[in-house]
Amino acid sequence: AQTVTQSQPEMSVQEAETVTLSCTYDTSESNYYLFWYKQPPSRQMILVIRQEAYKQQNATENRFSVNFQKAAKSFSLKISDSQLGDTAMYFCAFMKLKGGVTGGGNKLTFGTGTQLKVEL
Amino acid sequence: EAQVTQNPRYLITVTGKKLTVTCSQNMNHEYMSWYRQDPGLGLRQIYYSMNVEVTDKGDVPEGYKVSRKEKRNFPLILESPSPNQTSLYFCASSWTGDDGYTFGSGTRLTVV
């Protein structure tokens, strides 16, 4: 079974600064996907970024980028130029590649989350 | 607007009184899933569906039922709710699963 670990329950950052949220995972699969989701106080789950494990290039989406270290099973999220609207709970999630071991309907396995607060 | 719609957003009920949380998506997605979110545990999959009439258990299916009679709808049924089912519930849908799920707005359920 896959596990996802987010070791930082809470973090804070000053507006306009850069912050990195850590995520590690444990799997025996070689092909999989990794995701970061954002959950603001509205509680809506919003997809931030997606990484395919077979791609070495780190994914980026505007101010959000990841540092994907496959050998270390690490998938950290970097937020540049932090904004007040980035205040949210951030979840790291893992998904086995479709066509691999079946079961779970392409289930997302989530970490326990990191609460990020952006301060003035 | 492409979305996943869950109803109700908030629900308080008593132990043993059957309830249904509805979920509907307008994106013609094949995959649909239910998750529950509890503090310190993240989100855990309850049930999922890969197409009409195809459903299966996730990690925490006890006490829940689902059905997928139409592609767009995937209701979550609690036949006899208990206080340990007090949680925040999310429905989600996806084309292929691996493209990332679109989540509904969540249903906050309290069972007293």
Side-chain angles (χ1 to χ4, degrees):
Chain A
Q2 287 73 33
T3 58
V4 178
T5 301
Q6 294 179 251
S7 59
Q8 305 151 313
E10 296 179 351
M11 295 186 73
S12 62
V13 63
Q14 296 296 119
E15 197 177 23
E17 297 295 308
T18 296
V19 63
T20 298
L21 281 58
S22 65
C23 172
T24 59
Y25 56 94
D26 186 23
T27 184
S28 58
E29 304 287 331
S30 57
N31 292 316
Y32 47 86
Y33 297 88
L34 295 161
F35 303 85
W36 279 97
Y37 280 87
K38 168 185 176 181
Q39 186 179 43
S42 66
R43 80 187 189 203
Q44 181 71 45
M45 292 289 287
I46 302 164
L47 177 63
V48 175
I49 204 162
R50 169 180 175 271
Q51 175 78 42
E52 298 158 341
Y54 60 89
K55 288 188 177 179
Q56 292 189 339
Q57 186 175 4
N58 289 325
T60 62
E61 287 288 343
N62 301 312
R63 296 182 297 106
F64 298 87
S65 61
V66 297
N67 183 6
F68 173 49
Q69 301 289 330
K70 191 172 184 179
K73 296 180 183 176
S74 172
F75 183 61
S76 61
L77 175 69
K78 185 171 82 170
I79 306 174
S80 304
D81 186 25
S82 297
Q83 300 175 359
L84 294 177
D86 295 333
T87 292
M89 179 74 87
Y90 287 81
F91 290 99
C92 179
F94 171 98
M95 179 187 288
K96 287 185 296 192
L97 183 68
K98 187 175 71 171
V101 177
T102 57
N106 287 9
K107 175 181 71 175
L108 285 163
T109 299
F110 286 88
T112 53
T114 296
Q115 179 64 52
L116 176 67
K117 183 177 181 181
V118 180
E119 300 172 327
L120 287 170
Chain B
E1 181 188 353
Q3 61 185 358
V4 177
T5 303
Q6 282 180 242
N7 280 297
R9 278 190 50 96
Y10 298 92
L11 178 60
I12 301 174
T13 190
V14 296
T15 298
K17 185 176 181 181
K18 181 180 178 179
L19 67 91
T20 299
V21 183
T22 63
C23 173
S24 180
Q25 51 93 4
N26 62 1
M27 297 166 281
N28 203 36
H29 284 169
E30 301 278 337
Y31 289 79
M32 298 188 75
S33 231
W34 277 102
Y35 289 85
R36 61 177 287 174
Q37 181 181 0
D38 300 291
L41 296 177
L43 285 81
R44 294 175 292 167
Q45 190 188 53
I46 303 171
Y47 266 95
Y48 66 93
S49 170
M50 291 182 284
N51 213 326
V52 175
E53 302 292 2
V54 180
T55 63
D56 207 346
K57 298 175 182 179
D59 294 326
V60 288
E62 294 77 20
Y64 305 95
K65 284 176 57 177
V66 293
S67 67
R68 187 97 180 268
K69 294 184 170 58
E70 307 164 279
K71 198 171 190 179
R72 63 183 292 125
N73 296 323
F74 190 46
L76 179 69
I77 303 157
L78 284 73
E79 295 270 2
S80 183
S82 62
N84 65 12
Q85 292 178 299
T86 292
S87 187
L88 177 59
Y89 291 87
F90 285 99
C91 180
S93 73
S94 172
W95 273 113
T96 60
D98 53 30
D99 57 337
Y101 276 81
T102 300
F103 282 77
S105 299
T107 297
R108 173 73 68 185
L109 172 65
T110 302
V111 184
V112 298

